[in-house]
Amino acid sequence: MLAREAAGADLMVLGSRGLGSVRGFLLGSVALATIVRTGRPVVLVRPEHRPGPGIRGESGAADDHAAAAGSVVVGVDVRETCDATLDFAFGEAALRGGRLRAVHCWSLPPFGRDALALDMARREMLPDIARGLRNVLAPWRQKYPSVEVAEFTPVGGVSDRLLRSAAGAALVVVGRRMRTARAGARLGPVAHAVIRHCTAPVAVVAHD
């Protein structure tokens, strides 16, 4: 029923039981079924969430502990088309004061414990990674010129790094590929992890 109602809406908002910072959201069967059955954006809100004040003057450095309070945070995969996700995130940032943090997480080659090789790989790969993120965001910067964008390219697991970068955010936006497995429609691991553990409201935006 909820999925059918969402089909004619711009946005669906669902509440969630708050279970504390350790367990995060209780993603019940109703919420999960609604998310995977609709192509419209769905926002999950924890009852105890209180948006923090905006913080100006972020450096834009790829720092897990950089303040995100009051901003919209979006997870970006430069290898996939995520126009719907970015359009939603930029639009929400424009409505909320014009601050957006775009986060693309990536991994280093498996060099084991060779710290020197890992450091060299990071230095060699980072410019291309940052350029890829910048190119993906370029059309949306033009469409939403009032939005101040900070780009982050942390190394590490997507779910963990995205959650760290989103600490204190007013809204976190993640994409969901519209796909069906043998067991039925399902939510991807990154979106599922962010929904379960993020303390801020989470918007799940479907894309092809």
Side-chain angles (χ1 to χ4, degrees):
M1 181 68 73
L2 287 171
R4 286 198 296 270
E5 290 295 324
D10 293 327
L11 178 70
M12 170 161 280
V13 180
L14 298 176
S16 173
R17 289 195 227 171
L19 299 177
S21 60
V22 176
R23 295 183 63 189
F25 281 118
L26 174 62
L27 187 59
S29 58
V30 172
L32 180 59
T34 303
I35 291 172
V36 300
R37 282 175 170 79
T38 179
R40 307 308 301 158
V42 179
V43 176
L44 290 168
V45 182
R46 291 181 65 161
E48 71 273 21
H49 175 68
R50 296 291 184 273
I55 296 177
R56 298 293 178 181
E58 292 185 38
S59 65
D63 182 357
D64 287 336
H65 301 288
S71 63
V72 173
V73 174
V74 59
V76 183
D77 187 345
V78 300
R79 300 164 299 181
E80 293 188 358
T81 301
C82 50
D83 290 351
T85 306
L86 290 174
D87 195 24
F88 182 89
F90 270 82
E92 286 296 313
L95 291 172
R96 295 165 179 265
R99 298 178 63 245
L100 178 72
R101 290 164 59 91
V103 183
H104 171 64
C105 308
W106 56 291
S107 300
L108 289 167
F111 288 118
R113 297 183 179 180
D114 190 333
L116 179 59
L118 288 171
D119 184 62
M120 291 180 61
R122 183 197 300 267
R123 291 174 181 272
E124 291 179 0
M125 296 173 65
L126 184 57
D128 288 337
I129 298 293
R131 188 180 305 110
L133 177 59
R134 188 164 55 250
N135 290 341
V136 168
L137 298 176
W140 306 104
R141 287 178 181 270
Q142 294 180 0
K143 183 176 180 179
Y144 296 92
S146 65
V147 175
E148 176 187 347
V149 183
E151 301 172 10
F152 297 83
T153 54
V155 177
V158 178
S159 300
D160 178 64
R161 291 302 186 185
L162 182 56
L163 285 166
R164 291 188 184 187
S165 297
L171 178 69
V172 180
V173 183
V174 293
R176 175 184 74 82
R177 180 178 291 181
M178 297 182 67
R179 57 189 175 188
T180 302
R182 291 184 178 180
R186 64 185 183 89
L187 195 62
V190 173
H192 194 282
V194 173
I195 288 171
R196 182 170 177 79
H197 297 290
C198 188
T199 58
V202 178
V204 182
V205 182
H207 61 84
D208 296 331

